[in-house]
Amino acid sequence: MELLPALAGRFGDRADAVRVGERQASWAQLADLAAARAAQIAGQPALVVDATASLDTVVAVVAGLTVGVPVVPVPPDAGPLERSHILAEVADAASAPDAALILFTSGTTGPPKGVLVSREAIAADLDALADAWAWTADDVLVHGLPLYHVHGLVLGVLGALRTGSRLVHTVRPQPAAYAAAGGTLYFGVPTVWHRIVQDGAAARALAPARLLVSGSAALPVPVFEALHRLSGHRPVERYGMTETLITVAARADGERRPGYVGRPVSGVRTRIVDDELQVRGATLFSGYLNRPDATAAAFTADGWFRTGDVAAIDADGSHRIVGRLSTDLIKSGGYRIGAGEVEDALLSHPAVREAAVVGVPHDDLGQEIVAYVVADGVGADELIGFVATQLSVHKRPRRVRFLDALPRNDMGKVQKQRL
């Protein structure tokens, strides 16, 4: 199966096929660069990529895919705890030879898990989205999202190389950069769209585009409405997870309602069981790296993946994501952040005795990370900085509140709803 036909000359070639910041390459040049790198890594059990927003990252990912070595993108701001955990996990990646990508989760209930994503799942998802969004080689895709997540890497890079659309990566998703890019198709997370509507000129500059896509977290209704008012676009929303890729999406030729993420894409089925959204289909992951127990627990007895999200499906099939079954997944600035991972980092500080982390509503970020700690002789700024050095910077608490004790139930579990 040819996963990235643009690199095989399916769409001809053009000098500015892929641009990341100030660097650009034609598809032929990208293929040559990737082939040279592939020769260096052939036969290796995995390729760990320091996934900066750069053309070098694109080359490395394509090289791994070209030669069949599982690619493990790592956040460039990952702290030593996070990085060492990932490296330790993939040291045994020879047990995952069929994986195209190993994407690590947000560590909701502990250390992040490696998600094994196959070439077949990637191809199925990108083809389904190309159909849903009328995404073709005539498009110019623009985004500035991180290159170590499904949104920025799978959709935002591999999607362009599969559909043959030009790719313009702005390095950072700044409103002025989006406005100047001249794209037909734009990807962003709610924080990006919130910042764009705060800059009216940037929002109005997107009027000539064909489609604006929002994902990774729920788009607030006021932002949806402001985008429509300023740019003339009703943005398309979609829903997915690292384990499932994108399973539900509004269509370019369909209704776009604020608060709704559309219908299942081609090849995907959904159902609601006890308020939880469950999915199955061709886009699902192959399992968790080195975690057969977690893989088994993620599926129902009849083979449906448990998303852990509460959802509602209207009579017409439109999906609305209500929230998490638990309170331990925080969506901040488009990132999915596991409270447990942040709590573990806080507890590794010698002055901290107890820690609990929650997400609270925030106008710009969607949610901000707030930590409640029991500690002696340490200030909030020190703890925030400490977490930023241990994990990715975006996982740091924005606020720290000190308590004499955390509220717990009779079983000793922290009562986060009270926090």
Side-chain angles (χ1 to χ4, degrees):
M1 178 189 63
E2 183 61 59
L3 180 61
L4 307 175
L7 301 183
R10 181 80 58 84
F11 306 102
D13 204 8
R14 53 185 307 155
D16 59 350
V18 177
R19 174 182 288 275
V20 184
E22 297 301 317
R23 295 182 63 192
Q24 69 176 34
S26 69
W27 288 312
Q29 289 171 331
L30 178 58
D32 288 343
L33 290 169
R37 182 67 60 84
Q40 300 171 340
I41 63 173
Q44 297 300 314
L47 173 63
V48 178
V49 177
D50 188 29
T52 59
S54 67
L55 189 62
D56 290 336
T57 293
V58 177
V59 170
V61 171
V62 172
L65 295 175
T66 298
V67 78
V69 173
V71 177
V72 187
V74 177
D77 64 348
L81 289 179
E82 185 175 10
R83 193 174 293 264
S84 62
H85 168 74
I86 292 173
L87 292 175
E89 286 289 301
V90 301
D92 192 32
S95 63
D98 296 331
L101 300 174
I102 303 177
L103 303 174
F104 276 79
T105 65
S106 304
T108 305
T109 57
K113 297 187 290 288
V115 175
L116 307 177
V117 182
S118 69
R119 300 170 70 89
E120 291 76 16
I122 294 170
D125 201 52
L126 294 177
D127 290 348
L129 292 175
D131 171 68
W133 298 337
W135 185 2
T136 73
D138 293 329
D139 278 308
V140 178
L141 170 61
V142 176
H143 74 92
L145 302 173
L147 299 185
Y148 46 89
H149 285 162
V150 168
H151 199 165
L153 178 59
V154 178
L155 275 62
V157 173
L158 304 186
L161 298 179
R162 186 160 182 84
T163 62
S165 66
R166 283 181 55 208
L167 170 62
V168 178
H169 192 286
T170 61
V171 179
R172 296 180 61 83
Q174 297 169 332
Y178 271 43
T184 64
L185 177 62
Y186 285 82
F187 289 168
V189 299
T191 299
V192 172
W193 298 122
H194 179 263
R195 292 173 181 173
I196 285 174
V197 298
Q198 297 301 302
D199 182 342
R204 288 188 288 271
L206 301 183
R210 185 178 65 81
L211 201 65
L212 309 183
V213 179
S214 183
S216 297
L219 184 67
V221 173
V223 177
F224 183 106
E225 294 174 341
L227 267 176
H228 186 209
R229 184 177 68 255
L230 293 168
S231 71
H233 289 284
R234 297 177 68 83
V236 162
E237 293 192 67
R238 86 301 183 281
Y239 165 82
M241 301 176 65
T242 306
E243 292 91 337
T244 67
L245 303 181
I246 306 307
T247 52
V248 181
R251 296 182 59 89
D253 60 358
E255 183 181 19
R256 308 173 203 173
R257 285 189 283 169
Y260 286 80
V261 293
R263 298 178 177 84
V265 300
S266 177
V268 171
R269 289 186 290 158
T270 64
R271 72 182 186 185
I272 303 293
V273 177
D274 295 331
D275 295 325
E276 180 190 42
L277 178 65
Q278 299 179 356
V279 302
R280 69 185 308 168
T283 71
L284 267 64
F285 74 133
S286 305
Y288 292 114
L289 179 66
N290 307 325
R291 292 289 304 276
D293 55 336
T295 301
F299 289 86
T300 64
D302 56 348
W304 291 74
F305 177 74
R306 306 175 190 270
T307 68
D309 282 317
V310 178
I313 304 176
D314 283 5
D316 66 357
S318 295
H319 288 53
R320 180 168 55 89
I321 307 301
V322 178
R324 289 297 291 177
L325 288 174
S326 70
T327 59
D328 287 328
L329 186 66
I330 301 168
K331 296 181 178 181
S332 181
Y335 295 101
R336 296 166 69 90
I337 300 158
E341 188 182 13
V342 182
E343 289 162 356
D344 288 345
L346 285 164
L347 289 169
S348 69
H349 191 287
V352 175
R353 301 199 304 274
E354 298 181 72
V357 169
V358 299
V360 301
H362 188 276
D363 289 342
D364 185 32
L365 298 172
Q367 287 183 303
E368 67 173 356
I369 303 170
V370 178
Y372 291 82
V373 301
V374 179
D376 298 314
V378 65
D381 290 344
E382 181 180 342
L383 289 180
I384 291 170
F386 177 77
V387 174
T389 65
Q390 300 299 306
L391 306 175
S392 300
V393 173
H394 66 263
K395 296 180 180 180
R396 72 194 187 282
R398 299 294 179 130
R399 288 186 285 154
V400 176
R401 294 183 175 177
F402 293 91
L403 300 176
D404 293 330
L406 296 180
R408 299 179 182 271
N409 62 18
D410 291 341
M411 298 297 292
K413 184 176 181 179
V414 175
Q415 296 175 301
K416 288 194 173 181
Q417 293 294 346
R418 291 181 59 187
L419 294 176

